């Protein structure tokens, strides 16, 4: 491996990213860009992600930005050539924020977002839904369906029986190319199916948090082995939904609208590095819950970025360390079959932590791409937990106009194959090894590395 300096100082002052219960302090200056890269063990391609600068970036494995779209993405959704009429490099993105923010508005609950769009490689709008006059309030998720329609998660204020205050209700809507909503599911109509205990439901109502569910995933299950084996709950067009604040993930039947399967909200106490094969233990504030697609290692299993941030009614008990994990769960047995924690990379558990946002995606060679979102750190691990690629986003900005701090946070990161982009898009695959005299704890350097 060759040595290559990629330390771009990001001088930020004293930066604190805080959740309701925990705070992680970072140095005021640290390296950005690709900090470690083993091309032979990594799965190589382009990485697509939204930057803290509210733009959408495509980088190669060496951290070179090969393309940029001047649109905010929450999240960016890469469309295959088949989904985009044979064209390459098309995305679904957020198009514009509302001019006048409604009460309770934040990027996290969708009340800032006016419109979504399909854009081409050059950023031209091919399709849009919503406008400043008729905002759609999309947030967290949207997907292109096999029939050409789009599945979009939205939000809106609503009065709900049993609540003394207006709530932010989340909906999942199917929108056809003309902008017509052809199917809608509203979370507030199904609270009684989410598994809350009487005490939990009281705590939920007493919280006076209008965004008490805060859904962050709505994705079709797609073809899977459970449905092929006869389990109708896993019909490919059923929708997997996750509630970040309530610690519950569930499947919505597209035909009936009923919740037909769930995990949570109340689970056994967390065992951060417990033995594989145990029943899934308490997730807290999870993100990017999805079934691993067919054709990938672990296909049909759930992949979950379990933030272990503050969440739950009442708040779920957590471990001593503020530590995140990624777990792979067999949804039929409810057993954990694979997991990643910081200690699997030979470092302290608390070195891997994001109290909010974040994602994890399985790759064709069995590696997993992880987005430690609050710190803008993206990395790829082997099944045994070895880090084979690491990148820290250099794209900083303010989430809201009134913020007095900047962040390089990354909501969700995805790897796309080189041929997803137009022919001739450049890329580099040069190994990167940090200076171990300076960065002792870097992948490939520290004495605890699995390969040392």
């Amino acid at each position: 491996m060759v040595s290559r300096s990629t330390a771009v100082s990001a001088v930020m002052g004293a930066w604190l990213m805080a959740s309701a219960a925990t705070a992680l302090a970072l140095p005021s200056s640290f390296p950005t860009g690709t900090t470690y890269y083993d091309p032979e063990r990594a799965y190589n391609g382009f990485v697509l992600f939204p930057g803290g600068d509210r733009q959408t970036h495509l980088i190669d494995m060496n951290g070179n930005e090969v393309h940029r779209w001047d649109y905010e993405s929450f999240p960016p959704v890469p469309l295959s050539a088949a989904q985009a009429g044979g064209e390459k490099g098309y995305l679904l993105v957020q198009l514009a924020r509302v001019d006048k923010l409604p009460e309770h508005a934040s990027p996290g609950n969708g009340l800032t977002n006016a419109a979504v769009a399909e854009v081409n490689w050059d950023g031209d709008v091919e399709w849009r839904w919503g406008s400043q006059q008729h905002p759609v309030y999309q947030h967290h998720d949207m997907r292109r369906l096999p029939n050409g329609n789009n599945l979009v998660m939205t939000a809106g204020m609503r009065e709900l029986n049993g609540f003394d205050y207006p709530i932010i209700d989340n909906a999942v809507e199917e929108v056809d190319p003309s902008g017509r909503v052809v199917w809608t599911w509203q979370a507030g109509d199904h609270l009684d199916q989410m598994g809350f205990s009487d005490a939990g439901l009281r705590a939920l109502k007493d919280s006076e948090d209008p965004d008490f569910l805060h859904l962050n995933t709505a994705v079709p299950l797609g073809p899977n082995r459970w449905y092929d084996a006869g389990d109708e709950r896993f019909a490919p067009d059923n929708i997997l939904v996750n509630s970040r604040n309530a610690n519950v993930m569930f499947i919505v039947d597209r035909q009936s609208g009923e919740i037909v399967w769930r995990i949570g909200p109340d689970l056994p106490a967390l065992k951060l590095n417990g033995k594989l094969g145990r029943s899934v233990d308490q997730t807290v504030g999870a993100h990017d819950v999805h079934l691993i697609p067919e054709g990938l290692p672990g296909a049909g299993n759930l992949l979950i970025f379990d933030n272990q941030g503050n969440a739950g009614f009442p708040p779920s008990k957590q471990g001593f360390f503020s530590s995140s994990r990624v777990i792979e769960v067999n949804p039929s047995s409810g057993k954990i079959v694979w997991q990643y924690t910081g200690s699997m990379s030979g470092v302290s558990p608390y070195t891997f932590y994001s109290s909010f946002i974040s994602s994890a995606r399985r790759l064709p060679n069995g590696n997993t791409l992880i987005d430690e979102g609050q710190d803008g750190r993206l990395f790829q691990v082997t099944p045994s937990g070895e880090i084979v690629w690491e990148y820290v986003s250099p794209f900083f900005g303010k989430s809201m106009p009134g913020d007095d701090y900047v962040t390089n946070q990354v909501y969700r990161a995805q790897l796309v194959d080189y041929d997803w982009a137009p022919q001739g898009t450049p890329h580099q695959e040069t190994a990167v090894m940090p200076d171990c005299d300076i960065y002792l704890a870097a992948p490939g350097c520290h004495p605890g590395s699995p390969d040392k």
Side-chain angles (χ1 to χ4, degrees), residues 36 38 41-43 61 303 305 325-328 338-347 352 359-372 377-391 415 443 450:
Y36 181 72
D38 183 343
R41 293 191 296 166
Y43 185 83
M61 302 300 288
L303 199 59
F305 190 105
R325 61 176 180 166
V326 176
I327 52 175
E328 180 182 338
W338 180 82
Q339 62 189 0
Y340 174 79
T341 64
S343 59
M344 288 181 65
S345 296
V347 292
F352 172 49
S359 62
R361 296 296 172 96
R362 182 60 41 82
L363 302 175
N365 68 347
N367 289 354
T368 302
L369 175 67
I370 299 174
D371 163 29
E372 187 184 27
R377 174 183 175 233
L378 317 179
F379 61 105
Q380 194 179 132
V381 298
T382 66
S384 65
E386 296 178 68
I387 296 175
V388 294
W389 177 76
E390 183 180 64
Y391 170 88
L415 190 146

Side-chain angles (χ1 to χ4, degrees), residues 200-213:
L201 197 57
R202 284 195 300 272
L204 185 155
K205 293 177 179 179
D206 291 344
S207 72
E208 297 189 357
D209 177 5
D211 194 22
F212 58 84
L213 287 180

Side-chain angles (χ1 to χ4, degrees), residues 9-17 24-30 396 404-408:
S9 292
V11 181
M12 302 163 53
W15 176 34
L16 292 176
M17 291 300 294
L24 181 65
L26 293 178
S28 59
S29 181
F30 50 86
F396 288 82
D404 58 1
Y405 62 89
V406 296
T407 170
N408 68 337

Side-chain angles (χ1 to χ4, degrees), residues 50 74-75 140-141 143 216-217 242 244 284-290 303-309 324-326 352-361 369-379 409-414:
F74 192 40
H140 282 94
D141 226 339
R143 307 293 171 109
N216 61 22
T217 300
N242 182 65
R244 181 241 181 267
V284 187
H287 282 76
D288 198 29
V289 179
H290 63 280
L303 199 59
I304 303 165
F305 190 105
D306 180 18
N307 299 71
Q308 290 293 315
S324 298
R325 61 176 180 166
V326 176
F352 172 49
Y353 181 60
S354 180
S355 66
F356 65 107
I357 57 177
S358 310
S359 62
R361 296 296 172 96
L369 175 67
I370 299 174
D371 163 29
E372 187 184 27
Q374 75 176 27
D375 303 329
R377 174 183 175 233
L378 317 179
F379 61 105
Q409 67 186 35
V410 174
Y411 169 60
R412 183 182 291 173
Q414 302 162 82

Side-chain angles (χ1 to χ4, degrees), residues 35-152:
T35 60
Y36 181 72
Y37 177 35
D38 183 343
E40 294 184 358
R41 293 191 296 166
Y43 185 83
N44 302 305
F46 294 127
V47 180
L48 177 72
F49 64 94
D53 56 357
R54 292 170 54 185
Q55 298 187 65
T56 300
H57 305 272
L58 189 70
I59 63 168
D60 68 12
M61 302 300 288
N62 279 97
N64 302 305
E65 184 181 56
V66 301
H67 200 67
R68 177 184 298 199
W69 292 264
D70 293 328
Y71 297 109
E72 189 170 4
S73 298
F74 192 40
V77 179
L79 300 178
S80 67
Q83 293 173 319
E87 301 293 337
K88 293 188 175 184
Y90 278 46
L91 295 175
L92 297 178
V93 297
Q94 289 184 333
L95 195 62
R97 290 193 178 187
V98 296
D99 287 333
K100 185 177 181 181
L101 296 178
E103 187 179 7
H104 305 300
S106 77
N109 62 31
L111 297 181
T112 64
N113 189 30
V116 295
E118 175 185 344
V119 298
N120 64 22
W121 181 257
D122 295 323
D124 302 321
V125 174
E126 302 285 338
W127 171 85
R128 70 176 291 162
W129 182 49
S131 65
Q132 293 290 349
Q133 294 74 32
H134 302 285
V136 296
Y137 300 127
Q138 174 271 342
H139 66 101
H140 282 94
D141 226 339
M142 50 184 166
R143 307 293 171 109
R144 178 63 50 84
L145 298 175
N147 64 4
N149 292 348
N150 293 294
L151 194 73
V152 183

